[in-house]
Amino acid sequence: MKVISQIKLPVEKEMELFEKKFFESMSSKIALLNRITHYIVNRKGKQMRPMFVFLVAKMISEGNVNERTYRGASVIELIHTATLVHDDVVDDSNRRRGFFSINALWKNKIAVLVGDYLLSKGLLLSIDNNDFDLLKIISVAVREMSEGELLQIEKARRLDITEAVYYDIIRQKTATLIAACCSLGAASVNPESPDVAKMRRFGELIGMAFQIKDDLFDYGTEKIGKPTGIDIKEQKMTLPLIYTLNTVSEKDQKWLINSVKNHNKDRKRVREVIDFVKDNGGLDYAVKRMKEFQKEALLLLQDYPESEYRDSLELMVNYVIERKK
């Protein structure tokens, strides 16, 4: 059995019902919008985010979920989908998960409007049901994701990212959404309990590990849907590169910064940067930090009684850093 199917097993019924509710939550009177949202739903990914919502909710409430849990999962997926649609426009990307992106098929203007529509649908789903605590969790995530992206752009211009700033960026850009999934799951069944903050931290740790794993793919040879060296081409300062910059000689530092700043479109030079980072321990250090985040996340789960839901979350944490794409 594939790992994802194994993780999904204890919440399979909930995920089936969620898919129906999620599709309904996107519906519109505009035929063009329905055509696009239908395209989105039929090309969904692994749906790890709603899985987090259901698994956390069931782990902390002895296997119970309620309508708020379904709404929380739908909201997070609507918001996440909106950010992906907008990201593809920002990155001028024509592919998403091996399929054409919305902007490739319907152009940027429509893609931006569709992203806005999905975002508003997500917010209204919470407001219409008075889920103001869930709405706050989501809104904080949206704010932090935007700040994280902008902080990364600001720092990329000067290439002066420290390791601490890098963690700030990935916490906001990537980890905050997974943190929101986990705290939503907790808040949906046990509002205002210490579980909400604890599960937020749990999600944050997984998100940090997840992003470092993504950074490592940029240096790998696996076919993962994005070409190797793309982060370098986009002048993104990732952990392997930051570590290397901070540990090599001044001469090598200058060469690295010059390569990323002025030769990032030169394939041969990008390849040289990748090899240099590998040879100077950048990847090993990133793997070490990733495993530290993983360990801390697994430790938080020990506070909860053994259950199939906890087992699945443990499996998910391990999958995040062992995945091949």
Side-chain angles (χ1 to χ4, degrees):
M1 189 187 285
K2 276 187 172 175
V3 182
I4 291 292
S5 308
Q6 212 177 327
I7 293 167
K8 200 178 184 176
L9 216 51
V11 290
E12 210 158 27
K13 282 210 310 280
E14 286 80 7
M15 288 296 289
E16 270 175 38
L17 184 53
F18 157 75
E19 283 195 26
K20 289 195 192 88
K21 288 175 182 280
F22 177 56
F23 188 57
E24 283 164 20
S25 70
M26 279 205 227
S27 68
S28 157
K29 293 190 178 94
I30 313 290
L32 174 62
L33 253 175
N34 284 335
R35 200 155 68 239
I36 296 170
T37 53
H38 190 75
Y39 179 81
I40 290 169
V41 169
N42 285 339
R43 281 149 194 82
K44 61 183 182 293
K46 300 182 191 79
Q47 293 190 307
M48 283 166 72
R49 287 155 195 86
M51 262 190 263
F52 272 123
V53 176
F54 290 116
L55 286 168
V56 166
K58 294 190 97 169
M59 178 181 74
I60 69 167
S61 67
E62 296 175 356
N64 297 312
V65 295
N66 54 35
E67 278 304 312
R68 266 165 60 86
T69 317
Y70 284 100
R71 287 198 295 271
S74 290
V75 167
I76 209 83
E77 200 64 353
L78 282 164
I79 303 281
H80 173 58
T81 309
T83 61
L84 293 184
V85 172
H86 281 163
D87 279 354
D88 287 339
V89 175
V90 170
D91 297 338
D92 205 12
S93 173
N94 289 325
R95 311 286 286 184
R96 166 71 60 184
R97 297 182 186 124
F99 296 98
F100 283 116
S101 58
I102 303 300
N103 49 301
L105 292 173
W106 285 280
K107 302 291 176 253
N108 284 352
K109 187 176 180 177
I110 288 176
V112 170
L113 293 169
V114 168
D116 291 347
Y117 172 77
L118 295 171
L119 190 63
S120 65
K121 276 295 220 181
L123 301 177
L124 283 168
L125 187 58
S126 296
I127 292 166
D128 291 346
N129 292 284
N130 294 329
D131 295 329
F132 295 112
D133 56 334
L134 305 188
L135 180 60
K136 186 173 181 184
I137 291 170
I138 307 275
S139 302
V140 167
V142 173
R143 184 199 72 206
E144 291 200 329
M145 283 155 67
S146 312
E147 284 179 346
E149 285 285 358
L150 288 163
L151 179 60
Q152 186 172 49
I153 291 166
E154 179 194 328
K155 293 293 179 183
R157 284 182 182 148
R158 297 205 303 267
L159 300 186
D160 62 348
I161 295 185
T162 61
E163 198 172 324
V165 170
Y166 166 80
Y167 293 133
D168 267 349
I169 289 170
I170 68 166
R171 185 185 56 74
Q172 292 181 301
K173 215 181 79 140
T174 304
T176 194
L177 194 65
I178 300 174
C181 297
C182 297
S183 55
L184 271 176
S188 72
V189 290
N190 204 352
E192 293 177 35
S193 69
D195 293 321
V196 179
K198 194 182 281 184
M199 285 296 100
R200 179 180 171 77
R201 179 63 184 153
F202 169 72
E204 202 170 78
L205 290 162
I206 298 175
M208 305 284 269
F210 183 92
Q211 186 56 55
I212 294 172
K213 179 69 175 182
D214 252 20
D215 291 353
L216 289 164
F217 283 138
D218 205 47
Y219 292 85
T221 49
E222 286 129 331
K223 292 272 180 286
I224 54 153
K226 81 168 190 180
T228 310
I230 203 140
D231 289 339
I232 296 164
K233 289 186 187 96
E234 290 174 2
Q235 299 190 352
K236 280 183 188 163
M237 297 292 281
T238 59
L239 190 55
L241 187 57
I242 291 164
Y243 172 81
T244 308
L245 269 172
N246 290 333
T247 51
V248 296
S249 69
E250 206 176 320
K251 180 173 164 256
D252 286 337
Q253 252 178 18
K254 280 180 181 158
W255 175 80
L256 262 180
I257 288 171
N258 183 34
S259 301
V260 175
K261 227 173 190 168
N262 304 315
H263 303 280
N264 57 346
K265 301 286 187 280
D266 176 342
R267 271 194 190 168
K268 185 172 170 286
R269 189 73 166 257
V270 168
R271 188 71 251 169
E272 283 169 11
V273 169
I274 288 171
D275 291 339
F276 186 81
V277 169
K278 279 181 182 171
D279 295 343
N280 283 276
L283 299 198
D284 295 339
Y285 180 76
V287 167
K288 180 174 149 255
R289 292 296 286 134
M290 177 178 74
K291 288 186 171 168
E292 283 167 12
F293 287 123
Q294 175 205 24
K295 196 176 165 191
E296 200 186 325
L298 290 171
L299 214 56
L300 280 175
L301 290 179
Q302 298 310 307
D303 294 347
Y304 296 92
E306 271 189 46
S307 67
E308 56 183 331
Y309 316 114
R310 195 184 88 174
D311 291 347
S312 270
L313 284 166
E314 283 176 1
L315 205 56
M316 182 86 95
V317 176
N318 294 328
Y319 167 75
V320 156
I321 73 161
E322 285 159 13
R323 66 202 163 99
K324 294 283 181 274
K325 62 179 182 176

